[in-house]
Amino acid sequence: MISRTSFLEPEGWHAVNDGVMGGVSAGSMSFETDIAVFAGELSLEHGGGFASVRRELRPGVLAGATGLSMRVRGDGRRYQCRVGTDQTAPGISYAASFDTVAGQWLEVSLAWPAFEAVFRGRDVPDAPRLSPERIDRVGFLLADRQPGPFRLEIASITADRHVDDS
């Protein structure tokens, strides 16, 4: 059996877009009824090309988790779910990509082995193995090199935990 803990609360989300590197992309998280919406405009101008949102998590909240599951409706683009820990240098995240189908709700399951360490879009092969108990932030990123508007709706994001049902 799988036990799930949700953490898609409206509080604490903030944008980290390519403006930190001179770009002009815009992305943010808003909430419409019970659905989170990561939306904005991706631009390749001035060396840009990414938009992201993230939120801090209480340390240890993902201890024992086997991965994340999400119910999403996208625009046909490829997004990344990213998590971070306190065990890496600043800027390093663990990323797992997922595809969306325009206008269609999808169930996306991402087990921890699907997450790879990255820094500014490049692999970090010598990063420590992802430790779920050390995860202290979660977020979403779009960096598909396709300028224009984007929209990812997120109905749920949960931590999966396998429990013994005996």
Side-chain angles (χ1 to χ4, degrees):
M1 184 170 107
I2 295 179
S3 167
R4 293 196 164 108
T5 302
S6 176
F7 48 90
L8 189 63
E9 300 89 14
E11 297 81 27
W13 290 93
H14 64 278
V16 180
N17 298 312
D18 59 16
V20 299
M21 300 169 62
V24 295
S25 295
S28 64
M29 183 74 90
S30 63
F31 285 79
E32 298 174 2
T33 314
D34 291 331
I35 295 174
V37 180
F38 171 41
E41 181 97 14
L42 198 69
S43 172
L44 304 181
E45 293 181 35
H46 307 289
F50 76 89
S52 72
V53 291
R54 67 174 76 152
R55 71 169 297 227
E56 305 299 315
L57 296 177
R58 188 174 83 279
V61 73
L62 293 174
T66 57
L68 297 175
S69 290
M70 300 170 279
R71 181 166 169 74
V72 299
R73 179 167 58 189
D75 49 14
R77 296 174 85 156
R78 173 172 272 207
Y79 291 85
Q80 290 181 12
C81 178
R82 289 187 166 211
V83 296
T85 72
D86 63 357
Q87 68 191 105
T88 60
I92 294 177
S93 294
Y94 295 84
S97 296
F98 61 95
D99 293 314
T100 64
V101 177
Q104 186 174 68
W105 284 105
L106 302 172
E107 300 291 335
V108 176
S109 293
L110 302 169
W112 298 136
F115 287 79
E116 297 180 1
V118 294
F119 177 73
R120 295 185 178 165
R122 295 192 174 96
D123 292 342
V124 182
D126 59 344
R129 191 171 145 237
L130 178 59
S131 300
E133 65 277 1
R134 308 275 302 259
I135 294 172
D136 60 7
R137 63 190 177 279
V138 64
F140 296 94
L141 178 135
L142 178 65
D144 63 1
R145 308 292 301 160
Q146 301 297 316
F150 66 89
R151 181 179 174 95
L152 176 68
E153 298 175 40
I154 307 142
S156 66
I157 179 169
T158 57
D160 294 340
R161 291 180 170 80
H162 291 282
V163 295
D164 185 3
D165 42 336
S166 56

